[in-house]
């Protein structure tokens, strides 16, 4: 995904990670190389779109081109999913949009490459079965100093984005008790959670270098902060969301992320004060979102008090109303949110499928969601 410098909060791009499972056993299968070859993966397309592998051979990833329109983004994401799903079926596999594997079968096979080998060696058992998948959204900004300033204003809303995206209640055949088990796994790594409030890009980069020099990170690409300035694009990169079960839910995340960046840019221009930043409360809010999704209490980081996750979602929409109207995204966002309200988050739908037929039924359901609409 390429991104030219542009006025902030206009362009968006999405990276989606998926699991590959054996069609017969419903367990992750190391078919990434064959699936990517059959899907025609190689160098990114001229517009930045591409398909590639991930940490393990049980995972694949798609990257959209830079888009300015939600309909265009939806079309490109759906096309990439269809290519990968067709290639997986041809290999006796299924493409599964879940943020953690419902079933596992021992340690997965690592994708080739010295960097990946170094990562797994550094973190040991924390990454031995780290087959988690996220939905990453990039929103264009003019420069990295602006990106850092925007990120400082995002933390009150990141837990709500996570709660809305929650799509990983199962791991290794067990109910985890969490709506997003992926976030629990990710929180075990250094450089995770809500980023500290850095003053500018130089301070951010110095902090990342310090983590690398301390041996906590392999390199500067390894931070897992839920929102960060991209290290290679002039964007704010949101890494908070679970992989979406449907394209619709990925588009919903992208629309909300773009609106958050636009609102932050407006607040910066108007000289409005930044929200208070409390690292412990932020960690508590992320935990609550991972634990409950939209089906329980959250933490309002503006007040430090508990609040229903659905009320925090309403507050997010109020906060973003002008930005969503400005882009014309408001009708799409409200339509997709009504669909989530009707059907539940990905985690809720996985649990309903499990009640009907156990773990294998969850995997079959997810495979069917890959190219489906939420509505």
């Amino acid at each position: 995904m390429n991104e030219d410098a542009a006025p902030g909060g206009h362009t968006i791009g999405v990276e989606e990670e998926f699991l590959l499972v054996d069609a017969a056993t419903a367990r992750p299968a190391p078919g990434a190389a064959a699936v990517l070859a059959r899907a025609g993966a190689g160098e990114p397309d001229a517009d930045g779109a591409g398909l590639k592998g991930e940490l393990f051979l049980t995972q694949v990833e798609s990257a959209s081109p830079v888009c300015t329109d939600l309909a265009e983004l939806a079309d490109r994401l759906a096309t990439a999913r269809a290519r990968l799903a067709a290639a997986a079926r041809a290999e006796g596999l299924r493409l599964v949009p879940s943020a953690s594997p419902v079933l596992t079968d021992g340690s997965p096979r690592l994708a080739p490459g010295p960097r990946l080998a170094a990562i797994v060696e550094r973190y040991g058992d924390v990454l031995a079965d780290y087959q988690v998948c996220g939905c990453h959204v990039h929103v264009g900004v003019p420069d990295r100093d602006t990106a850092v300033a925007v990120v400082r204003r995002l933390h009150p809303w990141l837990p709500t984005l996570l709660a809305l995206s929650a799509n990983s209640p199962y791991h290794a055949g067990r109910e985890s008790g969490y709506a997003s088990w992926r976030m629990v796994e990710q929180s075990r790594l250094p450089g995770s959670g809500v980023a500290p409030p850095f003053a500018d890009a130089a301070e951010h980069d110095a902090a990342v270098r310090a983590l690398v020099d301390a041996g906590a990170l392999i390199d500067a690409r390894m931070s897992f902060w839920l929102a960060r300035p991209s290290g290679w694009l002039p964007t704010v990169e949101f890494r908070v969301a679970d992989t979406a079960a449907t394209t619709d839910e990925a588009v919903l995340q992208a629309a909300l992320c773009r609106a958050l960046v636009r609102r932050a840019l407006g607040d910066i221009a108007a000289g409005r004060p930044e929200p208070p930043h409390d690292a412990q409360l932020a960690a508590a809010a992320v935990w609550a979102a991972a634990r409950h999704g939209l089906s329980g209490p959250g933490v309002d980081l503006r007040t430090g008090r508990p609040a229903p996750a659905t009320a925090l979602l309403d507050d997010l929409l109020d906060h973003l109303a002008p930005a969503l109207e400005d882009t014309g995204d408001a009708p799409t966002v409200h339509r997709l949110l009504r669909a989530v309200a009707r059907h539940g988050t990905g985690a809720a739908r996985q649990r309903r499928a499990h009640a009907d037929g156990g773990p294998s039924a969850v995997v079959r359901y997810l495979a069917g969601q890959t190219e489906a609409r939420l509505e």
Side-chain angles (χ1 to χ4, degrees):
M1 180 172 57
N2 298 319
E3 176 79 42
D4 295 327
H10 183 57
T11 57
I12 45 175
V14 173
E15 297 163 338
E16 293 197 276
E17 298 165 348
F18 304 99
L19 291 164
L20 295 169
V21 304
D22 185 276
T25 67
R27 296 178 183 275
V35 167
L36 290 170
R38 190 177 287 273
E43 293 297 316
D45 297 343
D47 59 8
L51 307 174
K52 64 179 182 178
E54 254 294 326
L55 180 63
F56 292 108
L57 292 174
T58 53
Q59 298 168 292
V60 290
E61 177 181 324
S62 73
S64 81
V66 176
C67 299
T68 58
D69 177 75
L70 293 186
E72 175 194 8
L73 177 65
D75 180 68
R76 297 306 296 265
L77 292 177
T79 298
R81 285 181 175 224
R83 284 175 62 188
L84 288 170
R89 287 192 294 270
E91 295 293 331
L93 307 173
R94 296 293 182 267
L95 188 73
V96 173
S98 178
S100 65
V102 179
L103 295 164
T104 57
D105 194 14
S107 296
R109 286 171 54 189
L110 183 68
R115 180 176 182 269
L116 299 182
I119 289 171
V120 172
E121 192 279 331
R122 177 75 55 91
Y123 298 113
D125 276 3
V126 169
L127 287 188
D129 191 20
Y130 189 74
Q131 299 175 87
V132 301
C133 297
C135 174
H136 301 165
V137 179
H138 288 261
V139 182
V141 291
D143 53 64
R144 296 185 74 249
D145 279 334
T146 302
V148 171
V150 166
V151 169
R152 289 200 304 269
R153 295 173 179 265
L154 298 177
H155 63 273
W157 311 108
L158 296 175
T160 298
L161 292 181
L162 173 61
L164 179 63
S165 78
N167 187 35
S168 50
Y170 296 103
H171 180 72
R174 300 188 305 274
E175 161 67 69
S176 70
Y178 283 75
S180 174
W181 185 249
R182 161 187 162 267
M183 188 52 59
V184 175
E185 296 229 26
Q186 187 170 305
S187 67
R188 298 169 178 171
L189 291 160
S192 61
V194 172
F198 299 113
D200 51 28
E203 185 177 26
H204 169 276
D205 295 347
V208 174
R209 283 196 303 273
L211 289 172
V212 174
D213 292 344
L217 303 181
I218 291 289
D219 53 37
R221 295 162 55 193
M222 273 293 293
S223 71
F224 285 87
W225 287 316
L226 302 183
R228 67 183 187 180
S230 171
W232 61 97
L233 299 170
T235 65
V236 172
E237 183 183 7
F238 291 79
R239 301 170 59 87
V240 63
D242 279 8
T243 279
T246 64
T247 297
D248 285 335
E249 289 158 291
V251 170
L252 177 58
Q253 281 286 322
L256 293 172
C257 291
R258 176 162 69 175
L260 275 167
V261 171
R262 293 179 73 87
R263 174 61 197 257
L265 289 169
D267 288 346
I268 292 168
R272 298 187 185 103
E274 295 178 6
H277 192 290
D278 184 306
Q280 292 300 313
L281 280 176
V286 171
W287 174 85
R291 178 70 171 86
H292 303 293
L294 289 180
S295 300
V299 177
D300 187 337
L301 288 176
R302 298 162 300 170
T303 65
R305 304 297 302 170
T310 51
L312 295 174
L313 179 58
D314 289 341
D315 289 347
L316 172 63
L317 293 177
D318 289 343
H319 179 71
L320 296 182
L324 291 171
E325 292 293 340
D326 185 48
T327 57
D329 293 344
T332 298
V333 165
H334 288 289
R335 174 172 52 82
L336 295 176
L337 284 171
R338 287 194 296 270
V340 173
R342 282 195 303 274
H343 301 292
T345 63
R349 297 183 334 254
Q350 285 197 40
R351 284 169 169 151
R352 287 202 299 272
H354 189 278
D356 290 339
S360 295
V362 178
V363 177
R364 289 193 299 272
Y365 171 77
L366 287 164
Q369 290 279 281
T370 307
E371 298 177 78
R373 300 295 301 273
L374 181 62
E375 300 170 272

